[in-house]
Amino acid sequence: MKAFLLGTVALATIGLAAPVSAADMAARTYTKAPAYAAAQVYNWTGFYIGGHVGGDWRGNSTFGNGNSGRFIVGVQGGADYQFAQSWVVGIEANYSFKPNTNSNNGYAFADPAGAGILTNNSNSRGLGSVTGRLGYAWGPALLYAKGGYGFRDNGSNIGITVGGAPVAFTYNRRQDGYTVGGGLEYLFTQNWSGKIEYQYFNFGNSQFTAGPAALVAIGSFRNDEHTVKAGLNYRFNLGGPVMAKY
């Protein structure tokens, strides 16, 4: 009888506790797990066109022109392809106009017939290039290097006077060469980017082939130029921005 009474009390206790536990569970607030937002990976794949402004300087080894600077303004266009998430490969063509084309520079040399003066009236109209480029992107920034074919669009009118009398001569000047450089480009939006770029142009060696012996004896000298440009591009992106999944 005693065992029966103890069992009855135990069952009653369990029956009373069960509704309380169920009510307690129903009263708990349900909290949803936080959602992870997808992080945007900026898309560099696509075509672009744009413009730039900057400056152009002759190299120190360029004869008779020193490193006098000139203003340049120009256009560029190209295409990029992004791969392995952060690497970008592309091709670009650009042309820089030189609005202030005339550059008069004097160079004195010794000649048995008297003091010789060379005047270089350079009429360089512009510089252009077709290059490949390779870059590494992190976020909206792209650090890149470039290199390829460079050309110069110019005429040159060089005259010499020896003892006050003009002397005719010839001077070979290459218009084709190579270029290397690099820069940093930044995506302000998915369609607009800005860049800062340095580019070096080398057109090989030139020399005087006729004229006073003292002038011909100067030998060969390098034709090279340096440019620094700030540019703005409009990008026709292919496929839209890529989203990283979590």
Side-chain angles (χ1 to χ4, degrees):
M1 186 64 180
K2 186 182 292 184
F4 176 76
L5 291 174
L6 290 174
T8 303
V9 171
L11 289 172
T13 303
I14 294 172
L16 291 172
V20 174
S21 299
D24 181 62
M25 291 177 63
R28 290 181 182 176
T29 304
Y30 174 73
T31 304
K32 186 178 180 180
Y36 289 95
Q40 180 172 328
V41 178
Y42 290 86
N43 178 37
W44 292 91
T45 298
F47 300 93
Y48 63 89
I49 57 173
H52 61 262
V53 296
D56 163 66
W57 295 265
R58 292 292 182 86
N60 289 327
S61 58
T62 299
F63 180 84
N65 230 356
N67 53 6
S68 57
R70 286 188 285 182
F71 173 74
I72 59 175
V73 58
V75 294
Q76 70 269 348
D80 288 322
Y81 176 74
Q82 188 169 351
F83 65 99
Q85 185 170 327
S86 297
W87 290 96
V88 178
V89 64
I91 185 170
E92 181 181 270
N94 77 77
Y95 186 85
S96 301
F97 300 91
K98 299 180 181 181
N100 51 337
T101 56
N102 291 325
S103 178
N104 298 319
N105 303 92
Y107 180 84
F109 63 94
D111 187 86
I117 301 295
L118 177 146
T119 302
N120 181 358
N121 297 316
S122 178
N123 188 27
S124 179
R125 292 177 288 271
L127 290 169
S129 66
V130 178
T131 60
R133 72 174 192 168
L134 177 66
Y136 183 84
W138 71 100
L142 174 69
L143 183 66
Y144 63 90
K146 62 187 296 185
Y149 169 71
F151 65 92
R152 179 170 51 194
D153 176 21
N154 75 290
S156 188
N157 179 22
I158 303 177
I160 288 183
T161 60
V162 177
V167 177
F169 71 101
T170 59
Y171 163 53
N172 66 327
R173 188 169 189 169
R174 287 181 53 188
Q175 310 303 317
D176 301 304
Y178 71 87
T179 179
V180 293
L184 179 66
E185 191 164 359
Y186 188 89
L187 282 171
F188 299 110
T189 71
Q190 195 57 57
N191 295 108
W192 289 98
S193 66
K195 69 175 182 177
I196 298 292
E197 179 181 279
Y198 165 78
Q199 198 167 351
Y200 170 76
F201 292 82
N202 188 301
F203 301 103
N205 293 334
S206 295
Q207 66 184 40
F208 297 101
T209 57
L215 184 63
V216 176
I218 291 174
S220 64
F221 50 91
R222 191 185 337 171
N223 276 315
D224 56 356
E225 302 191 33
H226 307 263
T227 63
V228 175
K229 297 172 284 188
L232 184 67
N233 290 323
Y234 181 81
R235 294 183 161 270
F236 304 90
N237 295 102
L238 300 179
V242 179
M243 304 302 290
K245 296 180 179 179
Y246 290 87

